[in-house]
Amino acid sequence: MQPSAALARIQPSATLAVTARVGQMKRAGVDVIGLGAGEPDFDTPDHIKEAGIRAIRDNRTRYTDVDGTPELKAAVVAKFARDNALDYRTDQVTVNVGGKQTLFNAMVATVDAGDEVVIPAPYWVSYPDVVAFAGGTPVVVPAGPEQDYKLSPAQLDAAITPRTKWVILNSPSNPTGAGYSAAELRALGEVLARHPHVWIFADDMYEHVVFGGFRFATIAQVCPELYERTLTVNGCSKAYAMTGWRIGFAGGAPWLIKAMAKLQSQSTSNPCSIAQAAAVAALTGDQAFLAERAGVFQRRRDSVVAALNAIPGMTCPTPDGAFYVYPSFPELIGRTTPGGVVIDSDEAFVTYLLDEARVAAVHGAAFGLSPALRISYATSDALLAEACARIAEAAHKLR
Ligand SMILES: Cc1ncc(COP(=O)(O)O)c(C=O)c1O
């Protein structure tokens, strides 16, 4: 027996691999600083945890409707209305086992062999793999630091063919933190309006982790003419520090929501009933802490961006949101480590950082744009300062 052809089309998640490696090193007693994980270092707030505990005590521990309890769907409808001025009915809402399952359901339920999905790079690692697993062709469009890591309308127009099924937009972005303004989304929307066969997967997972003057917007809100063919995707993982609870959700066309539920009914069935009860508390409870936490991330962003930009050969744009920075370092490629290894790729640089500086980051190639690396600054100020100092020292030692 051999793994299937579908499985051969995908890679294990590079970000989860780095997290696993850091865990192994720590257990072996190595003083490593892990900046690879894509999750807030905050705890799930108490009122959300209590809702989960109450659900257990109340025996809400049985199967639920496949793609979400009526209570959670109602809470998602209210969330879209409150935060995004988007009007969805409950039959337009799906609840899934994390945002990753939302992506998986949407792609596997709609993509046929030969269908194309436009993915701006750098991208969240799962987009191309899930598209490829579904049998589709990822059409990766590079959007580098010179264009603030954002797809231009002209690039979008050029990437669309008669086979294009979806374009994936992620704002603020994992891995760059770049966010599209309402005006930028409108400009992309004008292109999409000319291509009525293309659907939009709007991944808003980092909606509540935004900084300074950046105002979050989502495409179905600012381009109402695209509402019918947009899947607006969000979840509890990043905003509410609930990565382990596994709740993602989306709003979109009823037929698509139904198709996704059909697939889910033959894979995971419902998301955990206890996590769903906790998610109701997250979405309907106090929202004030979201801005407070974003303020903490903003402070860390500022110190990390400053520290990385002070390293000769490294350029780190200032993100609008999320908790990642994506510095690029073309000048460091070709240099040699004290051990005599030539840094010929960003993967080699990240390996050198892990061995020499004991700092774990994820190489840019995993996100489709090199030479760069992704640093998650969802960790303490002290560890971040130490990590940046170690990176600077390691970069300095290159010849
Ligand atoms: C852009 C983006 N979308 C979706 C997800 C999925 O999140 P989860 O499956 O943990 O809810 C992530 C997680 O890393 C992400 O970065």
Side-chain angles (χ1 to χ4, degrees), residues 256-319:
L256 174 60
I257 297 299
K258 232 189 207 165
M260 291 167 67
K262 179 177 171 186
L263 180 63
Q264 190 163 319
S265 78
Q266 295 293 15
S267 55
T268 58
S269 294
N270 61 273
C272 168
S273 61
I274 300 150
Q276 289 192 70
V280 172
L283 295 178
T284 60
D286 171 41
Q287 307 291 306
F289 71 92
L290 297 173
E292 285 162 27
R293 289 183 171 189
V296 173
F297 282 129
Q298 180 169 352
R299 208 186 59 231
R300 293 176 183 167
R301 173 201 69 170
D302 290 342
S303 54
V304 169
V305 166
L308 294 175
N309 275 324
I311 300 174
M314 212 170 245
T315 308
C316 184
T318 303

Side-chain angles (χ1 to χ4, degrees), residues 98-100 124 127 170 174 203 205-206 237-238 246-247:
K100 196 175 270 186
W124 177 40
Y127 297 143
N170 172 216
N174 174 5
D203 185 339
M205 195 54 86
Y206 296 91
S237 296
K238 316 288 175 168
R246 313 303 305 132
I247 297 292

Side-chain angles (χ1 to χ4, degrees), residues 6 10 42 70 112 119 148 153 175 221 325 342 391:
I10 67 174
F42 295 114
D112 288 310
I119 304 173
D148 296 330
Q221 172 194 8
V325 285
V342 177
I391 294 170

